[in-house]
Amino acid sequence: MHLLRIFEGANSEYHWFLRQRFRDRIRQTYSQPTSYVDDRNWFCQLSLVLALGQALEKEPKQESEETNDPWDFNQPSTPLDLFGQAVSLFIISETLTLENLETLNLMAYYCHFTNRPKAAVIYISQSVALSRLLQLDDPEIYQPKISERQDSKSRCITKEHMLRLWWTTVCLDKTLASELEMTPVDLSPSLELPLPSSEGLSPEDEEEFFDLELLLAEIRS
């Protein structure tokens, strides 16, 4: 949990995943090692968060020359080894999920943090495409498959999760494209979309999310 706390403390301006759910999955992974043995995307996402936590703890971002090959993972850094592991684990099937989007955003941010701007733009471009395929730019149309057992509380969390993932993707796209003086992939995010909000969320529900005010500041910047 140490590296997770480092990651969350340094990157709370964006919404990466449902925080409590992520923590619960980590606990279950360590207490029951076979519980997610076939879930490649989970171990991919976990590797990315650990890689970012290690990079933040040991190697703060410094100005340096961009590496010649943004896809060269054969470097001695431990965080980079974890990133290479994550890339090798990541798969996207025809059944697209919000977890796929979470993972691509983390990949883009890792490349940004480690001064690989071209690779970062490639990953965030995929994030934007995936967001649109999931119809996150129109959450009133996109309806996640929610079982009958889920109550209104779960639906509220799911919808807010979708909305914050969309705005996080838009903000990352804008930030990463500007580093290369490029036009963001998403030229016209829907102005009809609501902004993230805590409305309808209990204090317990809000623990699933990152800092709302920081995300709103990023959106408006």
Side-chain angles (χ1 to χ4, degrees):
M1 291 294 186
H2 172 63
L3 293 177
L4 175 60
R5 286 193 292 270
I6 291 175
F7 167 78
E8 290 184 335
N11 299 290
S12 57
E13 71 271 30
Y14 297 122
H15 177 69
W16 303 104
F17 41 72
L18 293 174
R19 296 175 64 197
Q20 292 306 316
R21 178 175 179 269
F22 193 90
R23 288 171 178 270
D24 289 344
R25 293 183 80 180
I26 288 180
R27 293 188 185 97
Q28 188 172 2
T29 298
Y30 282 96
S31 64
Q32 303 175 34
T34 61
S35 55
Y36 295 106
V37 67
D38 295 322
D39 193 340
R40 292 170 60 95
N41 283 340
W42 159 241
F43 284 106
C44 170
Q45 193 172 95
L46 178 58
S47 296
L48 288 167
V49 171
L50 294 178
L52 277 161
Q54 286 186 332
L56 287 159
E57 181 181 43
K58 299 178 181 179
E59 298 179 10
K61 187 175 182 181
Q62 299 176 352
E63 292 186 3
S64 61
E65 294 184 2
E66 180 188 350
T67 54
N68 292 329
D69 182 3
W71 304 101
D72 178 15
F73 306 122
N74 297 317
Q75 299 186 29
S77 159
T78 299
L80 202 55
D81 291 339
L82 281 169
F83 180 69
Q85 173 177 288
V87 171
S88 69
L89 287 168
F90 185 57
I91 56 173
I92 294 182
S93 68
E94 285 298 300
T95 304
L96 303 176
T97 67
L98 295 176
E99 190 175 65
N100 294 149
L101 178 58
E102 295 167 1
T103 302
L104 283 170
N105 283 347
L106 287 166
M107 286 179 164
Y109 188 75
Y110 180 87
C111 291
H112 165 68
F113 185 82
T114 55
N115 200 25
R116 294 164 174 254
K118 294 175 184 176
V121 167
I122 290 171
Y123 281 122
I124 200 60
S125 299
Q126 294 179 65
S127 289
V128 172
L130 180 54
S131 296
R132 286 173 164 164
L133 287 170
L134 290 170
Q135 295 183 291
L136 296 191
D137 53 342
D138 190 354
E140 295 303 321
I141 294 177
Y142 173 63
Q143 296 294 329
K145 294 181 179 179
I146 300 177
S147 69
E148 294 180 359
R149 293 184 179 181
Q150 283 187 300
D151 56 18
S152 58
K153 171 183 174 180
S154 297
R155 289 194 294 272
C156 186
I157 291 174
T158 299
K159 184 172 180 178
E160 187 64 22
H161 178 44
M162 293 161 54
L163 188 62
R164 294 195 193 194
L165 278 178
W166 164 257
W167 283 113
T168 291
T169 303
V170 170
C171 290
L172 284 171
D173 178 34
K174 178 177 63 175
T175 297
L176 301 182
S178 67
E179 288 197 347
L180 296 179
E181 298 183 350
M182 296 175 62
T183 302
V185 174
D186 185 71
L187 298 176
S188 55
S190 175
L191 298 178
E192 298 179 2
L193 283 177
L195 291 174
S197 167
S198 294
E199 183 178 354
L201 299 176
S202 68
E204 181 182 358
D205 298 337
E206 289 188 48
E207 290 299 313
E208 289 283 11
F209 299 96
F210 291 80
D211 193 295
L212 174 61
E213 294 305 318
L214 290 179
L215 178 57
L216 290 173
E218 286 291 323
I219 294 170
R220 292 165 176 153
S221 65

PDB file of all heavy atoms in Angstrom, residues 138-149:
ATOM      1  N   ASP A 138     -21.159  10.880 -24.094  1.00  0.00           N
ATOM      2  CA  ASP A 138     -22.606  11.070 -24.018  1.00  0.00           C
ATOM      3  C   ASP A 138     -23.161  10.091 -22.990  1.00  0.00           C
ATOM      4  O   ASP A 138     -23.784   9.095 -23.335  1.00  0.00           O
ATOM      5  CB  ASP A 138     -23.247  10.831 -25.382  1.00  0.00           C
ATOM      6  CG  ASP A 138     -24.712  11.258 -25.406  1.00  0.00           C
ATOM      7  OD1 ASP A 138     -25.235  11.626 -24.336  1.00  0.00           O
ATOM      8  OD2 ASP A 138     -25.316  11.213 -26.486  1.00  0.00           O
ATOM      9  N   PRO A 139     -22.922  10.352 -21.700  1.00  0.00           N
ATOM     10  CA  PRO A 139     -23.296   9.379 -20.665  1.00  0.00           C
ATOM     11  C   PRO A 139     -24.790   9.123 -20.556  1.00  0.00           C
ATOM     12  O   PRO A 139     -25.204   8.110 -20.004  1.00  0.00           O
ATOM     13  CB  PRO A 139     -22.741   9.993 -19.372  1.00  0.00           C
ATOM     14  CG  PRO A 139     -22.582  11.435 -19.671  1.00  0.00           C
ATOM     15  CD  PRO A 139     -22.255  11.528 -21.126  1.00  0.00           C
ATOM     16  N   GLU A 140     -25.624  10.018 -21.096  1.00  0.00           N
ATOM     17  CA  GLU A 140     -27.060   9.762 -21.062  1.00  0.00           C
ATOM     18  C   GLU A 140     -27.439   8.656 -22.041  1.00  0.00           C
ATOM     19  O   GLU A 140     -28.421   7.949 -21.836  1.00  0.00           O
ATOM     20  CB  GLU A 140     -27.824  11.048 -21.397  1.00  0.00           C
ATOM     21  CG  GLU A 140     -27.658  12.154 -20.367  1.00  0.00           C
ATOM     22  CD  GLU A 140     -28.087  11.719 -18.976  1.00  0.00           C
ATOM     23  OE1 GLU A 140     -29.097  10.995 -18.866  1.00  0.00           O
ATOM     24  OE2 GLU A 140     -27.409  12.091 -18.012  1.00  0.00           O
ATOM     25  N   ILE A 141     -26.656   8.530 -23.102  1.00  0.00           N
ATOM     26  CA  ILE A 141     -26.907   7.462 -24.074  1.00  0.00           C
ATOM     27  C   ILE A 141     -26.222   6.176 -23.638  1.00  0.00           C
ATOM     28  O   ILE A 141     -26.794   5.091 -23.728  1.00  0.00           O
ATOM     29  CB  ILE A 141     -26.409   7.876 -25.474  1.00  0.00           C
ATOM     30  CG1 ILE A 141     -27.252   9.042 -26.002  1.00  0.00           C
ATOM     31  CG2 ILE A 141     -26.470   6.693 -26.446  1.00  0.00           C
ATOM     32  CD1 ILE A 141     -26.789   9.565 -27.342  1.00  0.00           C
ATOM     33  N   TYR A 142     -24.979   6.318 -23.173  1.00  0.00           N
ATOM     34  CA  TYR A 142     -24.246   5.128 -22.748  1.00  0.00           C
ATOM     35  C   TYR A 142     -24.792   4.636 -21.419  1.00  0.00           C
ATOM     36  O   TYR A 142     -24.723   5.319 -20.411  1.00  0.00           O
ATOM     37  CB  TYR A 142     -22.758   5.443 -22.604  1.00  0.00           C
ATOM     38  CG  TYR A 142     -21.972   4.303 -22.007  1.00  0.00           C
ATOM     39  CD1 TYR A 142     -21.880   3.086 -22.665  1.00  0.00           C
ATOM     40  CD2 TYR A 142     -21.344   4.446 -20.780  1.00  0.00           C
ATOM     41  CE1 TYR A 142     -21.173   2.042 -22.113  1.00  0.00           C
ATOM     42  CE2 TYR A 142     -20.632   3.408 -20.216  1.00  0.00           C
ATOM     43  CZ  TYR A 142     -20.553   2.208 -20.889  1.00  0.00           C
ATOM     44  OH  TYR A 142     -19.850   1.172 -20.341  1.00  0.00           O
ATOM     45  N   GLN A 143     -25.325   3.459 -21.416  1.00  0.00           N
ATOM     46  CA  GLN A 143     -25.863   2.860 -20.202  1.00  0.00           C
ATOM     47  C   GLN A 143     -25.071   1.600 -19.885  1.00  0.00           C
ATOM     48  O   GLN A 143     -25.133   0.629 -20.630  1.00  0.00           O
ATOM     49  CB  GLN A 143     -27.344   2.506 -20.381  1.00  0.00           C
ATOM     50  CG  GLN A 143     -28.238   3.713 -20.594  1.00  0.00           C
ATOM     51  CD  GLN A 143     -28.287   4.600 -19.361  1.00  0.00           C
ATOM     52  OE1 GLN A 143     -28.179   4.121 -18.239  1.00  0.00           O
ATOM     53  NE2 GLN A 143     -28.443   5.894 -19.569  1.00  0.00           N
ATOM     54  N   PRO A 144     -24.287   1.599 -18.802  1.00  0.00           N
ATOM     55  CA  PRO A 144     -23.538   0.391 -18.444  1.00  0.00           C
ATOM     56  C   PRO A 144     -24.485  -0.737 -18.089  1.00  0.00           C
ATOM     57  O   PRO A 144     -25.617  -0.508 -17.673  1.00  0.00           O
ATOM     58  CB  PRO A 144     -22.720   0.830 -17.225  1.00  0.00           C
ATOM     59  CG  PRO A 144     -23.500   1.953 -16.640  1.00  0.00           C
ATOM     60  CD  PRO A 144     -24.149   2.659 -17.799  1.00  0.00           C
ATOM     61  N   LYS A 145     -24.029  -1.943 -18.278  1.00  0.00           N
ATOM     62  CA  LYS A 145     -24.851  -3.107 -17.942  1.00  0.00           C
ATOM     63  C   LYS A 145     -24.854  -3.281 -16.432  1.00  0.00           C
ATOM     64  O   LYS A 145     -23.912  -3.787 -15.838  1.00  0.00           O
ATOM     65  CB  LYS A 145     -24.307  -4.354 -18.630  1.00  0.00           C
ATOM     66  CG  LYS A 145     -24.426  -4.292 -20.147  1.00  0.00           C
ATOM     67  CD  LYS A 145     -23.908  -5.560 -20.791  1.00  0.00           C
ATOM     68  CE  LYS A 145     -24.062  -5.505 -22.304  1.00  0.00           C
ATOM     69  NZ  LYS A 145     -23.536  -6.730 -22.956  1.00  0.00           N
ATOM     70  N   ILE A 146     -25.919  -2.837 -15.841  1.00  0.00           N
ATOM     71  CA  ILE A 146     -26.040  -2.895 -14.386  1.00  0.00           C
ATOM     72  C   ILE A 146     -27.052  -3.977 -14.021  1.00  0.00           C
ATOM     73  O   ILE A 146     -28.173  -3.977 -14.511  1.00  0.00           O
ATOM     74  CB  ILE A 146     -26.495  -1.539 -13.817  1.00  0.00           C
ATOM     75  CG1 ILE A 146     -25.467  -0.465 -14.194  1.00  0.00           C
ATOM     76  CG2 ILE A 146     -26.675  -1.607 -12.320  1.00  0.00           C
ATOM     77  CD1 ILE A 146     -25.859   0.921 -13.751  1.00  0.00           C
ATOM     78  N   SER A 147     -26.646  -4.886 -13.182  1.00  0.00           N
ATOM     79  CA  SER A 147     -27.541  -5.975 -12.795  1.00  0.00           C
ATOM     80  C   SER A 147     -28.687  -5.439 -11.946  1.00  0.00           C
ATOM     81  O   SER A 147     -28.608  -4.368 -11.349  1.00  0.00           O
ATOM     82  CB  SER A 147     -26.765  -7.035 -12.008  1.00  0.00           C
ATOM     83  OG  SER A 147     -26.381  -6.523 -10.748  1.00  0.00           O
ATOM     84  N   GLU A 148     -29.750  -6.188 -11.891  1.00  0.00           N
ATOM     85  CA  GLU A 148     -30.921  -5.760 -11.136  1.00  0.00           C
ATOM     86  C   GLU A 148     -30.623  -5.635  -9.651  1.00  0.00           C
ATOM     87  O   GLU A 148     -31.322  -4.935  -8.929  1.00  0.00           O
ATOM     88  CB  GLU A 148     -32.060  -6.755 -11.356  1.00  0.00           C
ATOM     89  CG  GLU A 148     -32.582  -6.766 -12.797  1.00  0.00           C
ATOM     90  CD  GLU A 148     -33.713  -7.758 -12.967  1.00  0.00           C
ATOM     91  OE1 GLU A 148     -34.047  -8.431 -11.966  1.00  0.00           O
ATOM     92  OE2 GLU A 148     -34.250  -7.866 -14.071  1.00  0.00           O
ATOM     93  N   ARG A 149     -29.582  -6.308  -9.192  1.00  0.00           N
ATOM     94  CA  ARG A 149     -29.273  -6.275  -7.769  1.00  0.00           C
ATOM     95  C   ARG A 149     -28.593  -4.970  -7.360  1.00  0.00           C
ATOM     96  O   ARG A 149     -28.527  -4.645  -6.189  1.00  0.00           O
ATOM     97  CB  ARG A 149     -28.365  -7.453  -7.402  1.00  0.00           C
ATOM     98  CG  ARG A 149     -29.066  -8.810  -7.533  1.00  0.00           C
ATOM     99  CD  ARG A 149     -28.156  -9.916  -7.054  1.00  0.00           C
ATOM    100  NE  ARG A 149     -28.797 -11.225  -7.137  1.00  0.00           N
ATOM    101  CZ  ARG A 149     -28.222 -12.355  -6.770  1.00  0.00           C
ATOM    102  NH1 ARG A 149     -26.981 -12.342  -6.301  1.00  0.00           N
ATOM    103  NH2 ARG A 149     -28.864 -13.499  -6.877  1.00  0.00           N
TER     104      ARG A 149
END
